[in-house]
Amino acid sequence: MNLTSENLSLWESASVTRRQARASLKSRSQGRGHRMILVLSLTIILVVGVALYMAVGCLATAGYILFGEALWVDAAAAVLTVLLLLGLVLPLCGGVFRLACLMTAPEESSAEDLPVWLPEASLSELFYPFTSLRAYGRVMAVVMESLGFTALSVGVPILLFRLALLTLRPLTQSTPVLYALLAVVVFLFCFSLGVLFFFLSGRRAGCGYYVFVHDWMPLGEVNRYFRGFRRSFAAVFCLRISLAGWYALSAAGLLVPLFLHAAPYGLCSAAAYARSLRRI
C-alpha cells in the first residue's frame, strides 16, 4: 500500500508507516534481529553517557581536593560535560538513527532513481560517525538540526514561561489571583508556541534519512534533492502523535519500554515515513 495514496486519511497513513516500522523491527541482519541491534545500541549510548558523566564527576572531585571549593572547577566540569555530550554522545545518537535508516532502506540498488550503496545493519555501524571526518560531519548535521527543532519546541517555550513568571511575580505580589490567572494564560501561550514549532518541524522530517541512504551525495545536494519531495506537516504530526502513547508508557514504566520498544519503534517509523515520500 502506498503511503501517499490520496484515498488514505492522515491517521491511516500513520498506521501504514507504523506497520512498515514493525516489519523492519522484525527483520534480521547477519543473524541478529533488528530490534535487538537497536536495543543494544541504545544501551551502549546510555552506558557511554553515564560513564562520561561519572568521569567528569571524578575529575571535579579531584579539583575540589586540590583547589578547594573553587567556582571555576564547577564551571570547567559543566563545560567539559557539555562538550563530551555534544562531541561523543550526540554522534552516537545519530548513529543509531542511521541504523534505523539502514534497516528501513530499500533492498534494491536505487531509490528514486538514485544509486544506493548501503552496508548491512549491524551493531558496528553504530560507530559510523567516528570512521571519518566526513562521516562525523554528516551525522552531526542531522543531529544538530534535530536538536535545534527540539530546542525550539521545548526549550524556548519553557524559557519564555520561566522568564514571564519571574517578570509577573513582583508585579502581582498583592494580587495572587491575578498572578495565577496570568500564569495560566502565559502557560497556554507558551504551550501553543511549542506545539507550533513541533508542527513546523515536520517540514524537514525525513531529510536525515536521505543524508544516510545517499551517503555519496554532498549535504548541499541532499538538501536540494529533498526539497523535491511531497511533504506534509500534518502527516508527520499525526505520526508523531500516534506514537505519543508509547512514550507516555515509557515514562510510567521507568524508561524500560523506551529502550525495549518505544525508541526502536519511533526510529524505524521516522525512517519508514522518509522512505515513503515521493517526488513532485
Side-chain angles (χ1 to χ4, degrees):
M1 182 181 292
N2 186 354
L3 181 63
T4 59
S5 298
E6 294 182 359
N7 60 333
L8 290 180
S9 70
L10 293 174
W11 293 107
E12 289 172 336
S13 297
S15 178
V16 172
T17 301
R18 294 198 308 273
R19 283 202 298 272
Q20 293 171 347
R22 288 194 294 270
S24 297
L25 287 174
K26 292 178 181 178
S27 301
R28 304 179 69 84
S29 294
Q30 299 180 352
R32 180 172 291 176
H34 284 173
R35 183 190 299 276
M36 182 56 63
I37 292 174
L38 291 176
V39 169
L40 290 174
S41 298
L42 292 168
T43 303
I44 290 173
I45 293 173
L46 177 63
V47 170
V48 170
V50 172
L52 291 175
Y53 181 79
M54 293 178 65
V56 173
C58 291
L59 290 176
T61 302
Y64 296 145
I65 294 173
L66 293 174
F67 306 104
E69 295 290 334
L71 182 61
W72 69 267
V73 174
D74 293 328
V79 171
L80 183 59
T81 300
V82 171
L83 290 177
L84 289 175
L85 289 177
L86 290 176
L88 295 178
V89 177
L90 278 183
L92 289 176
C93 293
V96 76
F97 177 61
R98 179 176 176 271
L99 272 173
C101 294
L102 297 181
M103 296 170 181
T104 315
E107 296 180 357
E108 58 269 19
S109 59
S110 65
E112 293 292 334
D113 300 324
L114 288 177
V116 175
W117 300 292
L118 295 175
E120 194 171 7
S122 64
L123 191 60
S124 62
E125 291 297 327
L126 173 67
F127 304 99
Y128 162 82
F130 305 106
T131 57
S132 69
L133 186 60
R134 179 180 181 275
Y136 188 88
R138 293 179 75 86
V139 171
M140 286 302 289
V142 174
V143 171
M144 294 307 291
E145 181 180 76
S146 177
L147 187 63
F149 280 119
T150 302
L152 287 174
S153 302
V154 180
V156 170
I158 291 176
L159 179 61
L160 289 177
F161 181 65
R162 294 293 298 172
L163 290 175
L165 292 185
L166 290 175
T167 304
L168 290 173
R169 186 172 289 115
L171 298 176
T172 57
Q173 285 182 343
S174 58
T175 53
V177 175
L178 178 61
Y179 173 78
L181 179 62
L182 291 177
V184 171
V185 172
V186 171
F187 172 79
L188 292 176
F189 171 78
C190 294
F191 180 78
S192 301
L193 187 65
V195 172
L196 176 62
F197 284 133
F198 183 69
F199 181 78
L200 294 177
S201 68
R203 188 66 174 173
R204 292 287 296 173
C207 185
Y209 172 87
Y210 292 97
V211 170
F212 296 138
V213 169
H214 301 306
D215 186 63
W216 54 272
M217 189 185 293
L219 286 175
E221 193 172 339
V222 172
N223 284 321
R224 289 191 293 272
Y225 174 69
F226 183 69
R227 286 196 292 267
F229 284 95
R230 293 188 180 92
R231 290 166 285 161
S232 168
F233 292 106
V236 180
F237 188 76
C238 289
L239 175 61
R240 291 170 174 174
I241 293 300
S242 69
L243 295 169
W246 280 109
Y247 292 104
L249 179 62
S250 298
L254 301 178
L255 300 183
V256 173
L258 178 71
F259 282 85
L260 296 180
H261 182 72
Y265 190 27
L267 290 168
C268 286
S269 295
Y273 163 79
R275 178 183 173 179
S276 70
L277 296 176
R278 295 294 178 264
R279 302 284 290 172
I280 297 174

